[in-house]
Amino acid sequence: MIYLNDDIAGFDFDAALPLLSEQRREQALKFKYVLGRKTCAMAYLLLCEGLQKEYGLTERPVFEYGEHGKPAIIGHTDIHFNLSHCREAVICAVSDKPVGIDIESIREFKDSLVRYTMNDNEVRQIEQAARPDVEFIRLWTMKEAKLKLTGRGITDNTKHVLDGSEHFETVVNEKKGYIYSVIY
């Protein structure tokens, strides 16, 4: 199940602090800027909401981290989740199987970034799209979601992350300025 909150401006960080685990509170407070603090707390609270709705869990989850930093909930390795945020929204996926999710702001990009991160077919897709900025972010969220699914994270070579066999759910919200992709 996917949980999304795109009201970052309306989020009361101070009121949320007591709702976070000590681990997550420390992590949120390490962010220099308010936006980072808010999105860190919001993502955790979305996870808590998902855990309560999907599994009836009310305790505050504490994380352990895999080799490449992918979090897992201590004591609940059968529950899979993934978190992501951008300037416009925060998103969480909760599942009984491995899941990857990424959300990104729709924004301008540099051609050099496209050539560095996309293969020739993807470059053509972007160049031929009515909205190249949207197409680039759509493909990027798919790549990052897949890497987060596998637990590898961003690697040096992102050109060959997608092989065409994957099935993504992708949502483009041009009005609010973000795109997300999820893969199970």
Side-chain angles (χ1 to χ4, degrees):
M1 188 63 88
I2 295 170
Y3 298 87
L4 181 131
N5 185 338
D6 57 13
D7 184 19
I8 294 173
F11 182 75
D12 186 342
F13 177 73
D14 293 328
L17 273 177
L19 304 175
L20 307 179
S21 68
E22 182 179 332
Q23 178 192 49
R24 193 63 173 196
R25 188 172 29 257
E26 288 175 8
Q27 186 178 9
L29 291 171
K30 286 180 183 178
F31 284 90
K32 181 178 179 179
Y33 298 106
V34 173
L35 179 63
R37 290 178 178 198
K38 281 185 168 187
T39 56
C40 181
M42 291 173 75
Y44 182 83
L45 293 177
L46 285 177
L47 173 62
C48 291
E49 178 185 349
L51 294 173
Q52 196 279 322
K53 286 182 177 175
E54 305 298 317
Y55 297 95
L57 298 176
T58 56
E59 71 261 16
R60 296 177 186 144
V62 176
F63 305 144
E64 59 187 355
Y65 296 90
E67 178 183 350
H68 300 287
K70 185 172 182 169
I73 301 169
I74 294 175
H76 296 283
T77 55
D78 57 323
I79 300 173
H80 301 272
F81 71 97
N82 209 228
L83 308 171
S84 187
H85 55 82
C86 65
R87 292 176 117 14
E88 290 75 25
V90 177
I91 197 162
C92 172
V94 178
S95 179
D96 59 356
K97 56 189 172 190
V99 61
I101 197 162
D102 186 50
I103 190 165
E104 299 287 339
S105 304
I106 299 172
R107 61 191 179 281
E108 289 184 39
F109 59 87
K110 294 183 178 177
D111 189 57
S112 60
L113 181 61
V114 171
R115 304 239 176 249
Y116 183 74
T117 60
M118 302 290 162
N119 64 42
D120 292 341
N121 289 335
E122 294 163 344
V123 170
R124 274 192 296 285
Q125 277 181 255
I126 293 165
E127 290 173 343
Q128 294 172 358
R131 290 275 317 265
D133 56 339
V134 169
E135 186 63 10
F136 172 71
I137 297 299
R138 185 185 73 80
L139 288 167
W140 180 257
T141 62
M142 292 166 61
K143 288 177 183 246
E144 193 162 339
K146 183 174 178 185
L147 290 169
K148 290 172 75 176
L149 168 80
T150 64
R152 290 185 319 195
I154 301 297
T155 61
D156 290 337
N157 184 0
T158 57
K159 289 185 179 192
H160 304 289
V161 171
L162 304 177
D163 62 24
S165 68
E166 306 92 349
H167 176 72
F168 293 90
E169 177 186 332
T170 299
V171 172
V172 177
N173 189 329
E174 289 187 47
K175 183 178 178 183
K176 297 248 181 165
Y178 61 80
I179 299 172
Y180 73 81
S181 292
V182 63
I183 182 173
Y184 296 93

